[in-house]
Amino acid sequence: MKKNIILAGVGGQGILSIATVIGEAALAEGLYLKQAEVHGMSQRGGDVQSNLRLSSNPIMSDLIEKGDADLIISLEPMEALRYVSYLAPDGWIVTSSVPFVNIPDYPAIEEVLAHVKAFKNHVLLDVEALAKEAGAPQQAANMVLLGAAIPMLGIDHDKMIAGVQRVFARKGEAVVATNVAAVEAGYKYAKEKMQGGK
């Protein structure tokens, strides 16, 4: 098993939490893990990107080469497009459809979403709306995105949920429950999209 994942978004959206949960679940699966430094976290609203590599064999480098990413997980659609040169031909883009307009010349969102939809393997979802529907706060939108990426990660669903529970345990049962609900909402949405539903 080998998965090369690019995590993208803007500072403050919770990219690091997604990486932490995936890492927890990967270790529970007995996988090797390497993560490159997260860039952009110090600037709230600035672009954030990190490479995350999982494998059943030892990993030499923490960086992903262009054309070798199996998955781009992004909390911002234009940020997903920023890294498509790294995507493998059969790779997946899982991204929020909600823009974070942090620059004056942000392109029309319809154009951005059309570019995402041009990729055969994509899941585009309104993570904030799905978090709200699941009874989770907007801050759990990142966990909705994580849930939508589970089918492409190659990690057992139950181990991902257990990872969420471990990562958020110190914040109390209510926080754990809302984050699990958010993950499940994203997971359900992605499974339906991949099976041709709504």
Side-chain angles (χ1 to χ4, degrees), residues 66-143:
K66 287 194 174 181
D68 203 29
D70 301 293
L71 179 59
I72 295 172
I73 302 174
S74 182
L75 276 157
E76 208 289 327
M78 195 172 77
E79 291 302 323
L81 294 174
R82 188 189 297 265
Y83 300 103
V84 293
S85 63
Y86 287 86
L87 197 63
D90 58 347
W92 280 84
I93 298 174
V94 179
T95 185
S96 171
S97 60
V98 180
F100 187 101
V101 181
N102 57 350
I103 54 172
D105 55 348
Y106 194 102
I109 187 58
E110 296 78 16
E111 293 176 24
V112 173
L113 299 183
H115 281 297
V116 173
K117 290 174 184 175
F119 288 85
K120 179 186 164 197
N121 296 332
H122 74 272
V123 176
L124 191 61
L125 66 165
D126 185 335
V127 292
E128 293 174 12
L130 284 168
K132 189 176 179 182
E133 283 175 29
Q138 185 178 339
Q139 293 88 340
N142 61 335
M143 291 296 107

Side-chain angles (χ1 to χ4, degrees), residues 175-193:
V175 172
V176 170
T178 56
N179 279 281
V180 167
V183 171
E184 295 289 18
Y187 179 72
K188 180 182 176 198
Y189 182 89
K191 292 290 277 187
E192 287 175 357
K193 288 295 281 185

Side-chain angles (χ1 to χ4, degrees), residues 13-179:
Q13 286 189 305
I15 287 294
L16 196 54
S17 294
I18 292 174
T20 302
V21 173
I22 293 173
E24 278 282 329
L27 292 174
E29 287 263 309
L31 297 173
Y32 291 92
L33 162 74
K34 282 218 177 195
Q35 182 179 359
E37 182 179 347
V38 177
H39 298 281
M41 291 299 278
S42 60
Q43 181 185 351
R44 191 168 187 84
D47 66 296
V48 178
Q49 182 267 338
S50 181
N51 292 356
L52 181 61
R53 305 189 67 207
L54 313 175
S55 179
S56 46
N57 298 312
I59 304 165
M60 298 300 115
S61 171
D62 55 4
L63 296 177
I64 298 169
E65 294 183 17
K66 287 194 174 181
D68 203 29
D70 301 293
L71 179 59
I72 295 172
I73 302 174
S74 182
L75 276 157
E76 208 289 327
M78 195 172 77
E79 291 302 323
L81 294 174
R82 188 189 297 265
Y83 300 103
V84 293
S85 63
Y86 287 86
L87 197 63
D90 58 347
W92 280 84
I93 298 174
V94 179
T95 185
S96 171
S97 60
V98 180
F100 187 101
V101 181
N102 57 350
I103 54 172
D105 55 348
Y106 194 102
I109 187 58
E110 296 78 16
E111 293 176 24
V112 173
L113 299 183
H115 281 297
V116 173
K117 290 174 184 175
F119 288 85
K120 179 186 164 197
N121 296 332
H122 74 272
V123 176
L124 191 61
L125 66 165
D126 185 335
V127 292
E128 293 174 12
L130 284 168
K132 189 176 179 182
E133 283 175 29
Q138 185 178 339
Q139 293 88 340
N142 61 335
M143 291 296 107
V144 173
L145 189 70
L146 172 63
I150 290 175
M152 301 84 179
L153 284 170
I155 297 175
D156 180 72
H157 167 273
D158 292 342
K159 286 196 173 75
M160 291 296 295
I161 296 299
V164 172
Q165 292 167 335
R166 284 193 299 277
V167 167
F168 292 100
R170 64 183 177 80
K171 295 189 176 184
E173 290 181 17
V175 172
V176 170
T178 56
N179 279 281

